[in-house]
């Protein structure tokens, strides 16, 4: 059984602030790329460094450990899954929103390819007080849960100020907390 490496907070913080590249942090502290990412996350969580310090490291893409797992915005889970329509083309696809933030949403029932952009529309019913609105979003991940059962994550790429205000209202009216 291998032991987890012990990393002194003061030492790694000094190295981060001194601009030591990720590959050298990996070697010096006997960490994998994922281990360096976890160390960054823990350091931000305990307040030893700021997210801006990690993001500002400005390393070449080949050397950078991506700081992905900490969400900038809380994920809101809907009290009830609400329909969302794919707009455009010959599509009459209606998915269900599972969770939502101001920057993206998780949707079941909409097939997509990572990188594909779709236009979505909310057409609330009599139980939802928000007026209809649309936005564009790009697929960031997709998981097939069955032959025709898809769950996908979409990042909002284009949204008008009016639609953004309606999205805020929808989040406020239909969600319970965050993760």
């Amino acid at each position: 059984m291998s032991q987890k490496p012990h990393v002194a907070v003061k030492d790694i913080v000094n190295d981060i602030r001194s601009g030591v590249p990720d590959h050298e942090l990996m070697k010096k502290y006997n960490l994998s790329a994922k281990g360096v990412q976890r160390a960054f996350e823990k350091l931000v969580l305990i307040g030893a460094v700021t997210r801006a310090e990690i993001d500002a490291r400005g390393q070449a893409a080949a050397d950078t450990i991506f700081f992905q797992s900490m969400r900038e915005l809380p994920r809101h889970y809907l009290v009830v899954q609400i329909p969302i329509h794919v707009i455009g083309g010959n599509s009459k696809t209606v998915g269900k929103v599972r969770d939502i933030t101001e920057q993206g949403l998780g949707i079941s029932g909409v097939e997509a390819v990572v990188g594909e952009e779709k236009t979505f529309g909310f057409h609330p019913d009599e139980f939802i007080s928000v007026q209809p609105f649309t936005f564009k979003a790009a697929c960031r991940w997709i998981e097939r849960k069955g032959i025709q059962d898809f769950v996908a994550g979409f990042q909002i790429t284009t949204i008008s100020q009016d639609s953004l205000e309606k999205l805020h209202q929808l989040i406020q009216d239909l969600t319970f907390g965050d993760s």
Side-chain angles (χ1 to χ4, degrees), residues 105-125:
L105 57 166
I107 301 174
S108 62
V110 173
E111 186 174 3
V113 176
V114 172
E116 179 182 9
E117 189 170 75
K118 293 186 178 284
T119 301
F120 291 99
F122 275 108
H123 305 286
D125 58 24

Side-chain angles (χ1 to χ4, degrees), residues 71 75 96 98-101 103-118 120 135 137-144 150-157:
R71 295 185 171 274
R75 181 183 298 195
K96 297 280 186 185
R98 298 163 36 114
D99 58 77
I100 194 165
T101 73
Q103 294 180 346
L105 57 166
I107 301 174
S108 62
V110 173
E111 186 174 3
V113 176
V114 172
E116 179 182 9
E117 189 170 75
K118 293 186 178 284
F120 291 99
F135 58 89
C139 181
R140 295 297 176 225
W141 59 267
I142 187 156
E143 181 180 325
R144 188 182 296 263
F150 302 95
V151 177
F154 289 87
Q155 179 180 13
I156 296 173
T157 55

Side-chain angles (χ1 to χ4, degrees), residues 44 89 113 170:
V44 170
V113 176
L170 181 76

